[in-house]
Amino acid sequence: MPNTGTRPRQARGVMTVGLALAVTAGLFTAAPAAQAISGESAAASAHAFTAQLHIGEGEAARGCSAALVHQQWLLTATSCFASTPGAAVKPGKPALKSRATLGKQTLDIVEVVPRDDRDVAMVRLAEPITTVKPVELAADAPETGETLLGAGFGRTRTQWVPNQLHTGEFQVDSATNTTVALTGQNGASVCKGDTGGPALRRKGAEVELTAVHSRSWQGGCLGETETRTGAVSARVDGLAGWVKDVRNRDRSYSADIDGDGKADLVVLRTNGDVVVHRNLGDSFAPGGVMSGGWDLFVTWKDLGRLYFADVDGDGKADMLVHTKDGNIAVRTNRGTHFDGGKHWSGGWDRFIDGSDLGRLEFADVDGDGKADMLVHTKDGNIAVRTNRGTYWDSGKHWSGGWDLFLTWKDLGRLYFADVDGDGKADMLVHTKDGNIAVRTNRGTHWDSGKHWSGGWDLFIDGTGLGVLWFGDATGDGKADMFVHTKDGRVAVRTNRNTYFDSGKVMITL
């Protein structure tokens, strides 16, 4: 197909990747060029979920647009983040310094998660945006003849780099499974700077996100001689499940990082950052990065996995690094960071995720304030290897019959935390019928247990409604229940001695 309608990317001012238009003969197919809507200025409060992106620095700087779909996530075009036009975009930290502005807030972009079937990416902000309501994703496909509202911060008919959102109406010409072809109405066009911006469907007094801009002819945009106002946007209707899955790929833990006696919320993000949300009593604070570079430790399928437990007995949780070569190193908590670490044990290469010889856990079983190693083997036995200051000893058998609780896919899963407040970790048994029983630590074994809670059958491994963990959130010495649901909410259900109460949401991630 001819490419006479394309415009190469220029390093002039702020620009972004252009909208895609390659659905019929005569439309261009070249690499995207940065663009925006040459329509009318939007009211200051309208479509506040639309973000202006600033990508790269100096002469290479360019701009894009995006839509806030969660407090800490934007939806935009993957092509905005290509280091050069047409280059592949890898998941993780952006290749170029990137920022997003929503209203009066400008935040760093710390992670890009591209889709592999269309020009769409999820983009994580360094901090949540709490003053703007995210836009909902449409569930229904765009229909031929339908009118969508396009929005963006890109070039207009008269301005190179406008700082005000512009909107314009676009008619749907056709759609594929992943794209929608649009034509601007009344002179509206998609121009440089608008790539990644939203194409919206009006729904009563609200709007919903149907697509994000990808490429266009740029007809009527400043500096262009083209007159055609056609564009192709990448469909996002029906992607709500994917958006939720991206958000939930992080791993969350409870551990007392600051040593105040209350379990903080620790999140290992998919970009490799270890983020600590301090426990403020009735909420968790916005997160601060305490360590980075752990992106290959998130899934447990790459280089290994992490744990957080107080190994040295100072009251602050340290970071344990379990690598796929079987070694375990302890990185001591230094208040604002974890140090370079020391080797504590080896030979555990087949104990990372429970799918091979077993699984490891770390908790203070003997009550001396220092985390011991619990070895759960595929034969169902659990041994406790006592913390000896620089290593864990050869261990003693504590319990058996737990072979169907190892992978979390059979009868359930186990947790270890001090539920009764005696300083020694008890065993919590979470069965697939949703019940949770507490087996009290009796010094050399855990007893037969008592029922504490029910209805948690969809919270075992994270594939259902969410996940559970246990830690002392209130500072009374007794482990509470943390409930992390797939909508991002983290609630704490307080330990009431024989049950966990109905709980309180402490943060939305």
Side-chain angles (χ1 to χ4, degrees), residues 371-412:
D372 307 297
M373 176 195 288
L374 297 100
V375 183
H376 182 180
T377 46
K378 69 176 182 179
D379 61 5
N381 290 315
I382 298 174
V384 175
R385 295 193 169 215
T386 302
N387 184 327
R388 299 304 185 188
T390 57
Y391 67 95
W392 294 284
D393 67 18
S394 57
K396 293 182 179 179
H397 175 81
W398 268 59
S399 191
W402 304 104
D403 50 306
L404 295 179
F405 287 76
L406 192 60
T407 67
W408 306 346
K409 303 294 183 183
D410 296 310
L411 293 188

Side-chain angles (χ1 to χ4, degrees), residues 233-315:
S233 295
R235 286 177 54 183
V236 299
D237 58 278
L239 294 188
W242 175 71
V243 168
K244 184 180 291 187
D245 287 343
V246 169
R247 295 196 338 255
N248 283 288
R249 290 192 304 174
D250 295 342
R251 287 204 182 268
S252 47
Y253 311 76
S254 61
D256 182 8
I257 300 294
D258 58 8
D260 67 352
K262 297 178 292 186
D264 305 300
L265 173 62
V266 183
V267 179
L268 172 57
R269 292 178 176 169
T270 52
N271 70 339
D273 287 343
V274 174
V275 178
V276 177
H277 297 264
R278 289 190 58 239
N279 187 331
L280 302 180
D282 59 356
S283 66
F284 291 110
V289 177
M290 194 160 171
S291 187
W294 303 102
D295 50 302
L296 295 179
F297 287 77
V298 176
T299 67
W300 305 350
K301 303 297 183 183
D302 296 308
L303 293 188
R305 67 176 290 185
L306 305 181
Y307 315 81
F308 297 89
D310 180 11
V311 178
D312 61 3
D314 67 351

